[in-house]
Amino acid sequence: MADKLPDMTLKAIGFVRNEVKQPMREGWEKVVSEIVVDNSLTEALEGLEEFSHIMVLYWMHHVAASAQLPPKVHPMGRQELPLVGLFATRSPNRPNPLGKATVRLLERQGNILKVEGLDAIDGTPVVDIKPYIPGYDSAADTKIAPWVINQ
Amino acid sequence: MADKLPDMTLKAIGFVRNEVKQPMREGWEKVVSEIVVDNSLTEALEGLEEFSHIMVLYWMHHVAASAQLPPKVHPMGRQELPLVGLFATRSPNRPNPLGKATVRLLERQGNILKVEGLDAIDGTPVVDIKPYIPGYDSAADTKIAPWVINQ
């Protein structure tokens, strides 16, 4: 495939700042974080505060890069759950360690966004921020796999 | 910031195949696409068919890379809408041209996912696929900006 590929190098647009220094699987709902966006992009955030929720794309930099990624994992690392394809889970061990969170935007102060529920540790590079628009981003009549827990 | 940065180079895990050869702003709802995932990752897709909807992260390769990105844009390119920060819109002209779509998964045949509503043109590199889990990915009590149309 390589001959067709454009250059796909990400630039950090900012970083997460919070009290969580180590990855954790659960308990993110009430974590308040700041997303400190690069000063040069402050103007590009204008109007984001008109939305109650935003989506944050981030790079899970704590995940060890591995040439040999296991194709199947136990969801949430729980051995009692079946081994399933990594793309059928939210495991951070994926070919591109991109995380995507939908979070409440509490406030914007210039280049700093205060959000609730972002499941990313302190220092995580942020690569994109998008407004959450239910008509595009939510789905009705959904079915989820039986192994999904905590939801 | 550069001294802190991990290497953030994306690998395509697959490509979009559909009949849409040129970008378009609207009319994606009924477009059926195939996501042709690299053969080496077929096993990593197992179990995804247990979900009715998936999220697709893709690289908007048709967007011209530009050193000078305007920080503000008219949403949907409509001049009658106010100029707002690019992060307050879904414009493809963003520092990292990542797209994120929530789509219905019609079926999986080995390494090929057939989906409905993916707003990406033929040949678009796909960088991640995640199950759509309403408890993580949807939000209630949302407020959106008044300039959001078609939703």
Side-chain angles (χ1 to χ4, degrees):
Chain A
M1 289 184 161
D3 55 333
K4 304 189 191 179
L5 285 185
D7 175 37
M8 301 196 293
T9 300
L10 296 169
K11 300 175 276 277
I13 61 162
F15 289 89
V16 173
R17 192 156 67 187
N18 63 26
E19 294 301 314
V20 185
K21 309 300 178 194
Q22 294 296 327
M24 56 187 197
R25 291 193 189 275
E26 299 173 66
W28 291 99
E29 295 77 6
K30 294 292 166 202
V31 172
V32 172
S33 300
E34 288 180 345
I35 301 173
V36 183
V37 175
D38 195 272
N39 276 323
S40 66
L41 292 168
T42 302
E43 210 184 338
L45 295 170
E46 281 184 27
L48 197 60
E49 63 279 359
E50 299 272 354
F51 296 85
S52 60
H53 293 76
I54 61 175
M55 295 185 300
V56 181
L57 298 183
Y58 54 96
W59 186 263
M60 296 181 281
H61 64 303
H62 54 87
V63 177
S66 164
Q68 273 301 67
L69 207 58
K72 292 182 151 191
V73 296
H74 293 287
M76 303 290 283
R78 299 206 185 184
Q79 302 298 313
E80 73 273 24
L81 296 176
L83 264 181
V84 299
L86 68 89
F87 291 123
T89 78
R90 302 298 279 264
S91 167
N93 297 105
R94 40 210 317 125
N96 297 300
L98 287 169
K100 175 255 155 193
T102 297
V103 299
R104 184 176 289 277
L105 177 61
L106 301 174
E107 65 176 29
R108 176 172 83 90
Q109 296 262 22
N111 67 321
I112 297 180
L113 306 174
K114 191 191 265 192
V115 301
E116 185 181 63
L118 177 59
D119 55 349
I121 65 171
D122 188 51
T124 298
V126 172
V127 297
D128 201 8
I129 293 165
K130 297 180 190 292
Y132 175 79
I133 302 175
Y136 300 139
D137 298 309
S138 72
D141 306 319
T142 53
K143 186 188 78 166
I144 60 174
W147 65 77
V148 176
I149 51 177
N150 291 328
Q151 95 81 41
Chain B
M1 291 183 160
D3 54 333
K4 304 191 195 177
L5 284 186
D7 175 37
M8 300 197 293
T9 301
L10 296 169
K11 300 175 276 277
I13 61 160
F15 289 89
V16 173
R17 191 156 67 186
N18 63 25
E19 294 300 313
V20 185
K21 308 302 176 192
Q22 295 296 327
M24 56 186 197
R25 289 193 190 276
E26 299 174 66
W28 291 99
E29 295 77 5
K30 295 291 165 201
V31 172
V32 172
S33 300
E34 288 179 345
I35 301 173
V36 183
V37 174
D38 195 272
N39 276 324
S40 67
L41 292 168
T42 303
E43 209 184 340
L45 296 169
E46 280 182 29
L48 197 59
E49 63 279 0
E50 298 272 354
F51 296 86
S52 61
H53 293 75
I54 61 176
M55 296 185 299
V56 182
L57 299 183
Y58 54 95
W59 187 263
M60 296 181 280
H61 64 303
H62 53 88
V63 176
S66 164
Q68 274 301 67
L69 208 57
K72 292 182 151 190
V73 297
H74 292 288
M76 304 289 283
R78 300 206 185 185
Q79 302 298 312
E80 73 271 24
L81 296 175
L83 264 181
V84 299
L86 67 90
F87 290 122
T89 78
R90 301 297 279 265
S91 167
N93 299 104
R94 41 209 318 124
N96 297 300
L98 286 169
K100 176 257 156 194
T102 297
V103 299
R104 183 177 290 277
L105 177 60
L106 302 174
E107 66 175 28
R108 175 172 83 91
Q109 297 262 19
N111 67 320
I112 298 181
L113 306 174
K114 190 190 264 192
V115 300
E116 185 181 63
L118 177 59
D119 56 349
I121 66 171
D122 188 51
T124 298
V126 172
V127 298
D128 201 8
I129 293 166
K130 296 180 191 293
Y132 175 79
I133 301 176
Y136 299 138
D137 299 308
S138 72
D141 306 320
T142 54
K143 186 189 79 165
I144 59 174
W147 65 77
V148 177
I149 52 179
N150 290 329
Q151 96 81 41

